[in-house]
Amino acid sequence: MTTLFGTPDIAIGMKESVSRVRLFDGPLDLSWRHCATTSDFIADLFALRFRSSRNDYMEVRHSIGYLVNELIENAVKFRAPGEIVIEASMDSECFKLKVSNDVDGEDASEFQGLLADITVGDPMDLLIQRIEANAANPDVGGSGLGLLTLMCDYGARLAWIFSAADESDLICVETYASIPISQIHN
């Protein structure tokens, strides 16, 4: 069974020229440092076309880096052992990202519950509500603040597809994101 959350039209269209990076589990284990290093690399790679303007380059690099880092951190934080696959592409209008990883059934259910909450309603209202809730109870995890910040501050459109993984007790999560590039450098 496949379940979709978010904007369905961005969950397709990743067929064009895609750059792919795989983060493998291994003796060093995947950690936060891999998130930052990988997101910096991808941001540098895709921002290169804007190098003629330092401001455009820095703005595009920052936006892509923040998006990629947030989604890779979520994948590292909530994944079952195994690889994380990052696919990225960019055209003149937007930067697109797909992050795939496996999670156990309990984490998938909790994440789907969070997504059911944050994908309905106005993202700015939800962001304010989540900030207030976190301030009142900072020990509560899984707030969705990073995802809501991407939607509100970066104009990100997000979608998630949950489907059965190769192993029967795992769920494959595909996270799709798209941020406008044309607005950043104009």
PDB file of all heavy atoms in Angstrom, residues 110-149 151-152:
ATOM      1  N   GLU A 110       4.272   7.402  13.278  1.00  0.00           N
ATOM      2  CA  GLU A 110       4.437   8.682  13.970  1.00  0.00           C
ATOM      3  C   GLU A 110       4.661   9.815  12.971  1.00  0.00           C
ATOM      4  O   GLU A 110       4.086  10.896  13.104  1.00  0.00           O
ATOM      5  CB  GLU A 110       5.606   8.609  14.956  1.00  0.00           C
ATOM      6  CG  GLU A 110       5.306   7.779  16.182  1.00  0.00           C
ATOM      7  CD  GLU A 110       6.496   7.689  17.138  1.00  0.00           C
ATOM      8  OE1 GLU A 110       7.352   8.602  17.129  1.00  0.00           O
ATOM      9  OE2 GLU A 110       6.571   6.694  17.877  1.00  0.00           O
ATOM     10  N   PHE A 111       5.489   9.559  11.957  1.00  0.00           N
ATOM     11  CA  PHE A 111       5.769  10.578  10.952  1.00  0.00           C
ATOM     12  C   PHE A 111       4.508  10.907  10.153  1.00  0.00           C
ATOM     13  O   PHE A 111       4.216  12.069   9.877  1.00  0.00           O
ATOM     14  CB  PHE A 111       6.905  10.111  10.045  1.00  0.00           C
ATOM     15  CG  PHE A 111       7.482  11.181   9.160  1.00  0.00           C
ATOM     16  CD1 PHE A 111       7.564  12.504   9.562  1.00  0.00           C
ATOM     17  CD2 PHE A 111       7.965  10.862   7.900  1.00  0.00           C
ATOM     18  CE1 PHE A 111       8.103  13.488   8.739  1.00  0.00           C
ATOM     19  CE2 PHE A 111       8.505  11.831   7.067  1.00  0.00           C
ATOM     20  CZ  PHE A 111       8.568  13.146   7.487  1.00  0.00           C
ATOM     21  N   GLN A 112       3.735   9.891   9.790  1.00  0.00           N
ATOM     22  CA  GLN A 112       2.494  10.126   9.062  1.00  0.00           C
ATOM     23  C   GLN A 112       1.523  10.955   9.900  1.00  0.00           C
ATOM     24  O   GLN A 112       0.825  11.819   9.370  1.00  0.00           O
ATOM     25  CB  GLN A 112       1.856   8.806   8.645  1.00  0.00           C
ATOM     26  CG  GLN A 112       2.610   8.130   7.518  1.00  0.00           C
ATOM     27  CD  GLN A 112       2.050   6.766   7.161  1.00  0.00           C
ATOM     28  OE1 GLN A 112       1.172   6.232   7.830  1.00  0.00           O
ATOM     29  NE2 GLN A 112       2.572   6.190   6.089  1.00  0.00           N
ATOM     30  N   GLY A 113       1.498  10.710  11.216  1.00  0.00           N
ATOM     31  CA  GLY A 113       0.656  11.521  12.100  1.00  0.00           C
ATOM     32  C   GLY A 113       1.083  12.978  12.099  1.00  0.00           C
ATOM     33  O   GLY A 113       0.246  13.889  12.033  1.00  0.00           O
ATOM     34  N   LEU A 114       2.392  13.208  12.172  1.00  0.00           N
ATOM     35  CA  LEU A 114       2.923  14.572  12.113  1.00  0.00           C
ATOM     36  C   LEU A 114       2.563  15.221  10.773  1.00  0.00           C
ATOM     37  O   LEU A 114       2.095  16.363  10.737  1.00  0.00           O
ATOM     38  CB  LEU A 114       4.442  14.566  12.299  1.00  0.00           C
ATOM     39  CG  LEU A 114       5.145  15.907  12.067  1.00  0.00           C
ATOM     40  CD1 LEU A 114       4.763  16.910  13.147  1.00  0.00           C
ATOM     41  CD2 LEU A 114       6.645  15.717  11.994  1.00  0.00           C
ATOM     42  N   LEU A 115       2.758  14.496   9.677  1.00  0.00           N
ATOM     43  CA  LEU A 115       2.461  15.040   8.361  1.00  0.00           C
ATOM     44  C   LEU A 115       0.977  15.343   8.195  1.00  0.00           C
ATOM     45  O   LEU A 115       0.611  16.335   7.557  1.00  0.00           O
ATOM     46  CB  LEU A 115       2.936  14.089   7.261  1.00  0.00           C
ATOM     47  CG  LEU A 115       4.448  13.895   7.181  1.00  0.00           C
ATOM     48  CD1 LEU A 115       4.789  12.849   6.127  1.00  0.00           C
ATOM     49  CD2 LEU A 115       5.162  15.203   6.901  1.00  0.00           C
ATOM     50  N   ALA A 116       0.129  14.514   8.761  1.00  0.00           N
ATOM     51  CA  ALA A 116      -1.312  14.769   8.703  1.00  0.00           C
ATOM     52  C   ALA A 116      -1.635  16.100   9.382  1.00  0.00           C
ATOM     53  O   ALA A 116      -2.546  16.814   8.960  1.00  0.00           O
ATOM     54  CB  ALA A 116      -2.090  13.629   9.355  1.00  0.00           C
ATOM     55  N   ASP A 117      -0.872  16.443  10.405  1.00  0.00           N
ATOM     56  CA  ASP A 117      -1.081  17.711  11.115  1.00  0.00           C
ATOM     57  C   ASP A 117      -0.512  18.911  10.360  1.00  0.00           C
ATOM     58  O   ASP A 117      -1.142  19.958  10.296  1.00  0.00           O
ATOM     59  CB  ASP A 117      -0.429  17.674  12.508  1.00  0.00           C
ATOM     60  CG  ASP A 117      -1.147  16.759  13.479  1.00  0.00           C
ATOM     61  OD1 ASP A 117      -2.316  16.412  13.231  1.00  0.00           O
ATOM     62  OD2 ASP A 117      -0.526  16.397  14.492  1.00  0.00           O
ATOM     63  N   ILE A 118       0.687  18.761   9.800  1.00  0.00           N
ATOM     64  CA  ILE A 118       1.357  19.945   9.230  1.00  0.00           C
ATOM     65  C   ILE A 118       1.090  20.175   7.748  1.00  0.00           C
ATOM     66  O   ILE A 118       1.519  21.183   7.204  1.00  0.00           O
ATOM     67  CB  ILE A 118       2.882  19.939   9.490  1.00  0.00           C
ATOM     68  CG1 ILE A 118       3.573  18.840   8.705  1.00  0.00           C
ATOM     69  CG2 ILE A 118       3.182  19.884  10.982  1.00  0.00           C
ATOM     70  CD1 ILE A 118       5.086  18.963   8.692  1.00  0.00           C
ATOM     71  N   THR A 119       0.397  19.253   7.094  1.00  0.00           N
ATOM     72  CA  THR A 119       0.122  19.449   5.667  1.00  0.00           C
ATOM     73  C   THR A 119      -1.290  19.961   5.414  1.00  0.00           C
ATOM     74  O   THR A 119      -1.704  20.076   4.264  1.00  0.00           O
ATOM     75  CB  THR A 119       0.360  18.154   4.855  1.00  0.00           C
ATOM     76  OG1 THR A 119      -0.444  17.107   5.392  1.00  0.00           O
ATOM     77  CG2 THR A 119       1.829  17.762   4.869  1.00  0.00           C
ATOM     78  N   VAL A 120      -2.020  20.238   6.465  1.00  0.00           N
ATOM     79  CA  VAL A 120      -3.346  20.838   6.313  1.00  0.00           C
ATOM     80  C   VAL A 120      -3.328  22.197   6.995  1.00  0.00           C
ATOM     81  O   VAL A 120      -2.680  22.382   8.016  1.00  0.00           O
ATOM     82  CB  VAL A 120      -4.468  19.958   6.915  1.00  0.00           C
ATOM     83  CG1 VAL A 120      -4.570  18.644   6.171  1.00  0.00           C
ATOM     84  CG2 VAL A 120      -4.253  19.714   8.393  1.00  0.00           C
ATOM     85  N   GLY A 121      -3.983  23.145   6.423  1.00  0.00           N
ATOM     86  CA  GLY A 121      -4.006  24.473   7.020  1.00  0.00           C
ATOM     87  C   GLY A 121      -2.890  25.348   6.486  1.00  0.00           C
ATOM     88  O   GLY A 121      -2.084  24.947   5.649  1.00  0.00           O
ATOM     89  N   ASP A 122      -2.861  26.547   6.996  1.00  0.00           N
ATOM     90  CA  ASP A 122      -1.871  27.539   6.585  1.00  0.00           C
ATOM     91  C   ASP A 122      -0.536  27.249   7.269  1.00  0.00           C
ATOM     92  O   ASP A 122      -0.471  27.205   8.499  1.00  0.00           O
ATOM     93  CB  ASP A 122      -2.373  28.940   6.954  1.00  0.00           C
ATOM     94  CG  ASP A 122      -1.376  29.999   6.583  1.00  0.00           C
ATOM     95  OD1 ASP A 122      -1.223  30.278   5.382  1.00  0.00           O
ATOM     96  OD2 ASP A 122      -0.739  30.558   7.513  1.00  0.00           O
ATOM     97  N   PRO A 123       0.545  27.070   6.482  1.00  0.00           N
ATOM     98  CA  PRO A 123       1.839  26.746   7.088  1.00  0.00           C
ATOM     99  C   PRO A 123       2.313  27.795   8.102  1.00  0.00           C
ATOM    100  O   PRO A 123       2.897  27.439   9.123  1.00  0.00           O
ATOM    101  CB  PRO A 123       2.792  26.658   5.898  1.00  0.00           C
ATOM    102  CG  PRO A 123       1.935  26.374   4.731  1.00  0.00           C
ATOM    103  CD  PRO A 123       0.619  27.039   5.024  1.00  0.00           C
ATOM    104  N   MET A 124       2.064  29.083   7.849  1.00  0.00           N
ATOM    105  CA  MET A 124       2.512  30.120   8.780  1.00  0.00           C
ATOM    106  C   MET A 124       1.776  30.008  10.114  1.00  0.00           C
ATOM    107  O   MET A 124       2.398  30.106  11.177  1.00  0.00           O
ATOM    108  CB  MET A 124       2.321  31.514   8.172  1.00  0.00           C
ATOM    109  CG  MET A 124       2.915  32.621   9.035  1.00  0.00           C
ATOM    110  SD  MET A 124       4.693  32.433   9.394  1.00  0.00           S
ATOM    111  CE  MET A 124       5.396  32.895   7.845  1.00  0.00           C
ATOM    112  N   ASP A 125       0.469  29.782  10.072  1.00  0.00           N
ATOM    113  CA  ASP A 125      -0.293  29.592  11.312  1.00  0.00           C
ATOM    114  C   ASP A 125       0.208  28.361  12.062  1.00  0.00           C
ATOM    115  O   ASP A 125       0.367  28.392  13.289  1.00  0.00           O
ATOM    116  CB  ASP A 125      -1.789  29.440  11.018  1.00  0.00           C
ATOM    117  CG  ASP A 125      -2.434  30.713  10.518  1.00  0.00           C
ATOM    118  OD1 ASP A 125      -1.851  31.813  10.725  1.00  0.00           O
ATOM    119  OD2 ASP A 125      -3.525  30.625   9.914  1.00  0.00           O
ATOM    120  N   LEU A 126       0.459  27.279  11.324  1.00  0.00           N
ATOM    121  CA  LEU A 126       0.954  26.054  11.948  1.00  0.00           C
ATOM    122  C   LEU A 126       2.336  26.259  12.551  1.00  0.00           C
ATOM    123  O   LEU A 126       2.635  25.744  13.635  1.00  0.00           O
ATOM    124  CB  LEU A 126       0.973  24.916  10.928  1.00  0.00           C
ATOM    125  CG  LEU A 126      -0.393  24.458  10.418  1.00  0.00           C
ATOM    126  CD1 LEU A 126      -0.230  23.556   9.206  1.00  0.00           C
ATOM    127  CD2 LEU A 126      -1.162  23.744  11.517  1.00  0.00           C
ATOM    128  N   LEU A 127       3.193  27.014  11.863  1.00  0.00           N
ATOM    129  CA  LEU A 127       4.532  27.298  12.380  1.00  0.00           C
ATOM    130  C   LEU A 127       4.444  28.043  13.706  1.00  0.00           C
ATOM    131  O   LEU A 127       5.114  27.673  14.678  1.00  0.00           O
ATOM    132  CB  LEU A 127       5.347  28.096  11.357  1.00  0.00           C
ATOM    133  CG  LEU A 127       6.763  28.489  11.781  1.00  0.00           C
ATOM    134  CD1 LEU A 127       7.631  27.261  12.028  1.00  0.00           C
ATOM    135  CD2 LEU A 127       7.404  29.381  10.717  1.00  0.00           C
ATOM    136  N   ILE A 128       3.607  29.054  13.759  1.00  0.00           N
ATOM    137  CA  ILE A 128       3.445  29.826  15.004  1.00  0.00           C
ATOM    138  C   ILE A 128       2.914  28.929  16.116  1.00  0.00           C
ATOM    139  O   ILE A 128       3.417  28.965  17.249  1.00  0.00           O
ATOM    140  CB  ILE A 128       2.535  31.050  14.757  1.00  0.00           C
ATOM    141  CG1 ILE A 128       3.252  32.052  13.841  1.00  0.00           C
ATOM    142  CG2 ILE A 128       2.130  31.714  16.072  1.00  0.00           C
ATOM    143  CD1 ILE A 128       2.360  33.135  13.280  1.00  0.00           C
ATOM    144  N   GLN A 129       1.917  28.102  15.802  1.00  0.00           N
ATOM    145  CA  GLN A 129       1.373  27.182  16.801  1.00  0.00           C
ATOM    146  C   GLN A 129       2.444  26.227  17.316  1.00  0.00           C
ATOM    147  O   GLN A 129       2.538  25.975  18.523  1.00  0.00           O
ATOM    148  CB  GLN A 129       0.209  26.376  16.222  1.00  0.00           C
ATOM    149  CG  GLN A 129      -1.031  27.174  15.937  1.00  0.00           C
ATOM    150  CD  GLN A 129      -2.053  26.376  15.135  1.00  0.00           C
ATOM    151  OE1 GLN A 129      -1.930  25.166  14.949  1.00  0.00           O
ATOM    152  NE2 GLN A 129      -3.071  27.072  14.625  1.00  0.00           N
ATOM    153  N   ARG A 130       3.264  25.698  16.415  1.00  0.00           N
ATOM    154  CA  ARG A 130       4.321  24.742  16.809  1.00  0.00           C
ATOM    155  C   ARG A 130       5.412  25.427  17.630  1.00  0.00           C
ATOM    156  O   ARG A 130       5.937  24.837  18.567  1.00  0.00           O
ATOM    157  CB  ARG A 130       4.933  24.069  15.567  1.00  0.00           C
ATOM    158  CG  ARG A 130       3.984  23.173  14.820  1.00  0.00           C
ATOM    159  CD  ARG A 130       3.657  21.939  15.628  1.00  0.00           C
ATOM    160  NE  ARG A 130       2.607  21.174  14.991  1.00  0.00           N
ATOM    161  CZ  ARG A 130       2.521  19.864  15.035  1.00  0.00           C
ATOM    162  NH1 ARG A 130       3.390  19.151  15.695  1.00  0.00           N
ATOM    163  NH2 ARG A 130       1.517  19.255  14.444  1.00  0.00           N
ATOM    164  N   ILE A 131       5.751  26.661  17.273  1.00  0.00           N
ATOM    165  CA  ILE A 131       6.750  27.402  18.056  1.00  0.00           C
ATOM    166  C   ILE A 131       6.236  27.624  19.473  1.00  0.00           C
ATOM    167  O   ILE A 131       6.951  27.408  20.456  1.00  0.00           O
ATOM    168  CB  ILE A 131       7.114  28.739  17.374  1.00  0.00           C
ATOM    169  CG1 ILE A 131       7.917  28.480  16.102  1.00  0.00           C
ATOM    170  CG2 ILE A 131       7.892  29.644  18.329  1.00  0.00           C
ATOM    171  CD1 ILE A 131       8.125  29.704  15.230  1.00  0.00           C
ATOM    172  N   GLU A 132       4.977  28.028  19.586  1.00  0.00           N
ATOM    173  CA  GLU A 132       4.378  28.246  20.911  1.00  0.00           C
ATOM    174  C   GLU A 132       4.299  26.947  21.701  1.00  0.00           C
ATOM    175  O   GLU A 132       4.594  26.921  22.893  1.00  0.00           O
ATOM    176  CB  GLU A 132       2.989  28.872  20.762  1.00  0.00           C
ATOM    177  CG  GLU A 132       3.038  30.311  20.271  1.00  0.00           C
ATOM    178  CD  GLU A 132       1.667  30.881  19.908  1.00  0.00           C
ATOM    179  OE1 GLU A 132       0.665  30.112  19.852  1.00  0.00           O
ATOM    180  OE2 GLU A 132       1.597  32.106  19.676  1.00  0.00           O
ATOM    181  N   ALA A 133       3.919  25.858  21.052  1.00  0.00           N
ATOM    182  CA  ALA A 133       3.830  24.560  21.730  1.00  0.00           C
ATOM    183  C   ALA A 133       5.204  24.103  22.196  1.00  0.00           C
ATOM    184  O   ALA A 133       5.350  23.576  23.304  1.00  0.00           O
ATOM    185  CB  ALA A 133       3.201  23.524  20.801  1.00  0.00           C
ATOM    186  N   ASN A 134       6.236  24.300  21.365  1.00  0.00           N
ATOM    187  CA  ASN A 134       7.596  23.911  21.759  1.00  0.00           C
ATOM    188  C   ASN A 134       8.117  24.765  22.907  1.00  0.00           C
ATOM    189  O   ASN A 134       8.854  24.280  23.765  1.00  0.00           O
ATOM    190  CB  ASN A 134       8.550  23.993  20.569  1.00  0.00           C
ATOM    191  CG  ASN A 134       8.477  22.767  19.701  1.00  0.00           C
ATOM    192  OD1 ASN A 134       7.589  21.936  19.839  1.00  0.00           O
ATOM    193  ND2 ASN A 134       9.407  22.656  18.781  1.00  0.00           N
ATOM    194  N   ALA A 135       7.746  26.050  22.906  1.00  0.00           N
ATOM    195  CA  ALA A 135       8.173  26.933  24.002  1.00  0.00           C
ATOM    196  C   ALA A 135       7.534  26.491  25.316  1.00  0.00           C
ATOM    197  O   ALA A 135       8.173  26.526  26.367  1.00  0.00           O
ATOM    198  CB  ALA A 135       7.816  28.377  23.689  1.00  0.00           C
ATOM    199  N   ALA A 136       6.285  26.049  25.253  1.00  0.00           N
ATOM    200  CA  ALA A 136       5.587  25.596  26.453  1.00  0.00           C
ATOM    201  C   ALA A 136       6.099  24.246  26.925  1.00  0.00           C
ATOM    202  O   ALA A 136       6.126  23.968  28.124  1.00  0.00           O
ATOM    203  CB  ALA A 136       4.084  25.524  26.187  1.00  0.00           C
ATOM    204  N   ASN A 137       6.515  23.386  26.000  1.00  0.00           N
ATOM    205  CA  ASN A 137       6.985  22.047  26.349  1.00  0.00           C
ATOM    206  C   ASN A 137       8.153  21.675  25.439  1.00  0.00           C
ATOM    207  O   ASN A 137       7.968  20.973  24.441  1.00  0.00           O
ATOM    208  CB  ASN A 137       5.839  21.040  26.224  1.00  0.00           C
ATOM    209  CG  ASN A 137       6.212  19.686  26.796  1.00  0.00           C
ATOM    210  OD1 ASN A 137       7.334  19.475  27.263  1.00  0.00           O
ATOM    211  ND2 ASN A 137       5.269  18.763  26.748  1.00  0.00           N
ATOM    212  N   PRO A 138       9.374  22.116  25.785  1.00  0.00           N
ATOM    213  CA  PRO A 138      10.530  21.902  24.899  1.00  0.00           C
ATOM    214  C   PRO A 138      10.980  20.444  24.773  1.00  0.00           C
ATOM    215  O   PRO A 138      11.764  20.119  23.894  1.00  0.00           O
ATOM    216  CB  PRO A 138      11.633  22.754  25.533  1.00  0.00           C
ATOM    217  CG  PRO A 138      11.193  23.013  26.923  1.00  0.00           C
ATOM    218  CD  PRO A 138       9.704  22.889  26.966  1.00  0.00           C
ATOM    219  N   ASP A 139      10.480  19.553  25.621  1.00  0.00           N
ATOM    220  CA  ASP A 139      10.903  18.156  25.574  1.00  0.00           C
ATOM    221  C   ASP A 139      10.147  17.333  24.542  1.00  0.00           C
ATOM    222  O   ASP A 139      10.490  16.186  24.307  1.00  0.00           O
ATOM    223  CB  ASP A 139      10.741  17.509  26.958  1.00  0.00           C
ATOM    224  CG  ASP A 139      11.654  18.148  27.988  1.00  0.00           C
ATOM    225  OD1 ASP A 139      12.741  18.615  27.607  1.00  0.00           O
ATOM    226  OD2 ASP A 139      11.269  18.176  29.171  1.00  0.00           O
ATOM    227  N   VAL A 140       9.127  17.918  23.934  1.00  0.00           N
ATOM    228  CA  VAL A 140       8.342  17.195  22.939  1.00  0.00           C
ATOM    229  C   VAL A 140       9.125  17.144  21.631  1.00  0.00           C
ATOM    230  O   VAL A 140       9.577  18.157  21.126  1.00  0.00           O
ATOM    231  CB  VAL A 140       6.964  17.880  22.719  1.00  0.00           C
ATOM    232  CG1 VAL A 140       6.207  17.201  21.583  1.00  0.00           C
ATOM    233  CG2 VAL A 140       6.155  17.849  23.996  1.00  0.00           C
ATOM    234  N   GLY A 141       9.321  15.960  21.083  1.00  0.00           N
ATOM    235  CA  GLY A 141      10.054  15.800  19.828  1.00  0.00           C
ATOM    236  C   GLY A 141       9.103  15.727  18.649  1.00  0.00           C
ATOM    237  O   GLY A 141       7.888  15.694  18.800  1.00  0.00           O
ATOM    238  N   GLY A 142       9.663  15.688  17.452  1.00  0.00           N
ATOM    239  CA  GLY A 142       8.859  15.539  16.254  1.00  0.00           C
ATOM    240  C   GLY A 142       7.898  16.673  16.005  1.00  0.00           C
ATOM    241  O   GLY A 142       6.749  16.461  15.655  1.00  0.00           O
ATOM    242  N   SER A 143       8.386  17.894  16.173  1.00  0.00           N
ATOM    243  CA  SER A 143       7.502  19.053  16.094  1.00  0.00           C
ATOM    244  C   SER A 143       7.167  19.468  14.675  1.00  0.00           C
ATOM    245  O   SER A 143       6.153  20.117  14.450  1.00  0.00           O
ATOM    246  CB  SER A 143       8.155  20.234  16.800  1.00  0.00           C
ATOM    247  OG  SER A 143       9.313  20.648  16.093  1.00  0.00           O
ATOM    248  N   GLY A 144       8.013  19.137  13.716  1.00  0.00           N
ATOM    249  CA  GLY A 144       7.787  19.569  12.345  1.00  0.00           C
ATOM    250  C   GLY A 144       8.238  20.989  12.068  1.00  0.00           C
ATOM    251  O   GLY A 144       7.972  21.528  10.996  1.00  0.00           O
ATOM    252  N   LEU A 145       8.932  21.618  13.025  1.00  0.00           N
ATOM    253  CA  LEU A 145       9.363  23.010  12.841  1.00  0.00           C
ATOM    254  C   LEU A 145      10.246  23.193  11.606  1.00  0.00           C
ATOM    255  O   LEU A 145      10.089  24.163  10.871  1.00  0.00           O
ATOM    256  CB  LEU A 145      10.104  23.520  14.074  1.00  0.00           C
ATOM    257  CG  LEU A 145       9.245  23.937  15.259  1.00  0.00           C
ATOM    258  CD1 LEU A 145      10.125  24.319  16.440  1.00  0.00           C
ATOM    259  CD2 LEU A 145       8.326  25.075  14.892  1.00  0.00           C
ATOM    260  N   GLY A 146      11.162  22.282  11.376  1.00  0.00           N
ATOM    261  CA  GLY A 146      12.043  22.403  10.219  1.00  0.00           C
ATOM    262  C   GLY A 146      11.266  22.361   8.917  1.00  0.00           C
ATOM    263  O   GLY A 146      11.516  23.152   7.998  1.00  0.00           O
ATOM    264  N   LEU A 147      10.314  21.447   8.815  1.00  0.00           N
ATOM    265  CA  LEU A 147       9.511  21.329   7.597  1.00  0.00           C
ATOM    266  C   LEU A 147       8.635  22.564   7.407  1.00  0.00           C
ATOM    267  O   LEU A 147       8.517  23.082   6.288  1.00  0.00           O
ATOM    268  CB  LEU A 147       8.658  20.066   7.655  1.00  0.00           C
ATOM    269  CG  LEU A 147       9.442  18.750   7.751  1.00  0.00           C
ATOM    270  CD1 LEU A 147       8.492  17.581   7.962  1.00  0.00           C
ATOM    271  CD2 LEU A 147      10.309  18.545   6.522  1.00  0.00           C
ATOM    272  N   LEU A 148       8.036  23.042   8.480  1.00  0.00           N
ATOM    273  CA  LEU A 148       7.200  24.246   8.391  1.00  0.00           C
ATOM    274  C   LEU A 148       8.039  25.472   8.030  1.00  0.00           C
ATOM    275  O   LEU A 148       7.594  26.330   7.263  1.00  0.00           O
ATOM    276  CB  LEU A 148       6.436  24.464   9.697  1.00  0.00           C
ATOM    277  CG  LEU A 148       5.297  23.466   9.939  1.00  0.00           C
ATOM    278  CD1 LEU A 148       4.810  23.547  11.383  1.00  0.00           C
ATOM    279  CD2 LEU A 148       4.159  23.685   8.958  1.00  0.00           C
ATOM    280  N   THR A 149       9.256  25.562   8.564  1.00  0.00           N
ATOM    281  CA  THR A 149      10.155  26.664   8.222  1.00  0.00           C
ATOM    282  C   THR A 149      10.489  26.628   6.730  1.00  0.00           C
ATOM    283  O   THR A 149      10.509  27.661   6.057  1.00  0.00           O
ATOM    284  CB  THR A 149      11.441  26.609   9.064  1.00  0.00           C
ATOM    285  OG1 THR A 149      11.089  26.735  10.440  1.00  0.00           O
ATOM    286  CG2 THR A 149      12.417  27.706   8.679  1.00  0.00           C
ATOM    287  N   MET A 151       8.602  25.478   4.371  1.00  0.00           N
ATOM    288  CA  MET A 151       7.411  25.907   3.633  1.00  0.00           C
ATOM    289  C   MET A 151       7.213  27.419   3.729  1.00  0.00           C
ATOM    290  O   MET A 151       6.909  28.069   2.727  1.00  0.00           O
ATOM    291  CB  MET A 151       6.169  25.182   4.151  1.00  0.00           C
ATOM    292  CG  MET A 151       6.114  23.720   3.777  1.00  0.00           C
ATOM    293  SD  MET A 151       4.546  22.945   4.239  1.00  0.00           S
ATOM    294  CE  MET A 151       4.947  22.248   5.828  1.00  0.00           C
ATOM    295  N   CYS A 152       7.381  27.967   4.938  1.00  0.00           N
ATOM    296  CA  CYS A 152       7.091  29.392   5.157  1.00  0.00           C
ATOM    297  C   CYS A 152       8.204  30.312   4.658  1.00  0.00           C
ATOM    298  O   CYS A 152       7.936  31.292   3.975  1.00  0.00           O
ATOM    299  CB  CYS A 152       6.862  29.656   6.645  1.00  0.00           C
ATOM    300  SG  CYS A 152       5.369  28.883   7.281  1.00  0.00           S
TER     301      CYS A 152
END
